[in-house]
Amino acid sequence: MLHQRVQHEQDVAAAKLRGDNTIQSRQTVSQCGMFPLNWTAIAAVALGFLLCGEGVQADPIRMEALGVYCEGCDETTPVLWPPGPTGKLTVVEHHSGFRIRSQAHDGIPGAPNNDIILPLIPGSTGIAFASALVVNDTLWVFGTNDVEMDGGKPRTQVHIFWSSDPSLSSGSWNTTSILQLPQTGVPNPKDPPYIVPWWTAFNTSPTKGVVNGRDAYVLAVELGSPTVLIGERFTSVFAVCYSCASTDDLSTGWEILDPTTHIYEKSRWVCEY
């Protein structure tokens, strides 16, 4: 999630200033954040990213601080693309209007340069907070709407984009909306404009796991409102797709888990802005 990623980058920068080339985590990669152990997780480790987390104490992972990889790239997910051991380090990035770029770094299985592979994922204009996941031979990219779209108020939808083309060419992409969040209510004129009675979504984070004894894909959805549900900004609720686990088609079948019983409240954070 964004607040976790920012904290880690701050830790890296502070360590660099101290001349300390390692940072430490309390968890293994499989226990840390929402990354599954796949080509997304491996790329995350290669870039020197590690999400902060709470919970099980485990053998620490020591990681070399590589520094800031790209100034102003905002939300970023590293992947190895094409999938498999010959894949190159690639990043899906940008706050709004997503792009895909090669990422070069000495000692990392990346391209020889930082060339842009795709300057704009078709249909992603007005979609924000990129996150991505590689499933078999397909790159899936998630985002939330920055502007009103298809009858949905800003920040009330989750959209998905996908391509199975090794070159990720512009014409190979598909897109659809996978979640429409509740958007009813009348704002209190005394509240700040960002405090509204409907759900407002920001970052997302996908993974595969087991929910209620069933294989499923799960999507953490960071909410900024409504206060009556989440308490303090920002709190994550969760969407689940059971059919996706057998089809590996993440474009349909999503539903929100009961937010009164499936919610990641701010009281559980161990990272701050």
Side-chain angles (χ1 to χ4, degrees):
M1 305 295 285
L2 174 62
H3 58 271
Q4 296 167 324
R5 193 177 304 146
V6 168
Q7 179 63 49
H8 176 68
E9 291 172 355
Q10 291 173 342
D11 291 344
V12 169
K16 202 75 172 180
L17 289 173
R18 295 195 305 268
D20 180 3
N21 287 326
T22 60
I23 56 174
Q24 205 170 53
S25 167
R26 297 182 303 166
Q27 296 184 311
T28 64
V29 171
S30 60
Q31 296 165 327
C32 196
M34 294 291 291
F35 278 129
L37 284 176
N38 58 18
W39 296 115
T40 305
I42 294 169
V45 173
L47 259 184
F49 286 166
L50 189 64
L51 300 186
C52 300
E54 58 125 3
V56 180
Q57 293 286 334
D59 293 336
I61 295 176
R62 299 189 66 82
M63 302 183 70
E64 181 183 355
L66 301 179
V68 178
Y69 84 99
C70 178
E71 183 179 357
C73 290
D74 300 306
E75 288 78 23
T76 300
T77 303
V79 299
L80 293 181
W81 189 265
T86 61
K88 302 298 184 183
L89 186 59
T90 303
V91 288
V92 180
E93 62 190 4
H94 271 197
H95 173 73
S96 183
F98 306 148
R99 77 178 184 186
I100 301 174
R101 182 175 58 79
S102 298
Q103 177 64 48
H105 195 285
D106 292 342
I108 292 177
N113 52 54
N114 295 322
D115 286 354
I116 293 174
I117 298 171
L118 182 65
L120 179 68
I121 296 178
S124 67
T125 300
I127 307 293
F129 296 98
S131 65
L133 186 68
V134 176
V135 179
N136 297 327
D137 61 351
T138 302
L139 174 60
W140 299 87
V141 180
F142 298 78
T144 51
N145 63 315
D146 239 352
V147 297
E148 185 172 337
M149 288 187 174
D150 302 324
K153 293 177 179 177
R155 316 244 56 80
T156 65
Q157 297 173 338
V158 179
H159 292 248
I160 194 167
F161 307 83
W162 70 98
S163 171
S164 301
D165 177 11
S167 67
L168 300 175
S169 62
S170 179
S172 69
W173 287 85
N174 299 279
T175 182
T176 190
S177 174
I178 59 172
L179 288 171
Q180 173 61 62
L181 305 178
Q183 56 175 341
T184 58
V186 178
N188 185 336
K190 297 182 180 180
D191 287 335
Y194 55 83
I195 300 296
V196 293
W198 52 83
W199 293 26
T200 52
F202 293 82
N203 286 279
T204 60
S205 187
T207 191
K208 187 178 183 181
V210 176
V211 179
N212 298 324
R214 300 171 61 187
D215 291 339
Y217 280 89
V218 178
L219 186 69
V221 182
E222 182 187 52
L223 296 183
S225 65
T227 303
V228 66
L229 172 65
I230 67 170
E232 296 185 65
R233 297 158 56 96
F234 292 91
T235 294
S236 291
V237 295
F238 299 90
V240 64
C241 181
Y242 293 109
S243 64
C244 299
S246 58
T247 65
D248 287 330
D249 177 5
L250 277 57
S251 68
T252 186
W254 292 91
E255 58 185 277
I256 295 289
L257 292 171
D258 182 354
T260 64
T261 56
H262 297 80
I263 191 166
Y264 197 88
E265 297 176 336
K266 189 175 180 180
S267 61
R268 300 181 64 189
W269 291 10
V270 295
C271 298
E272 297 288 345
Y273 284 102

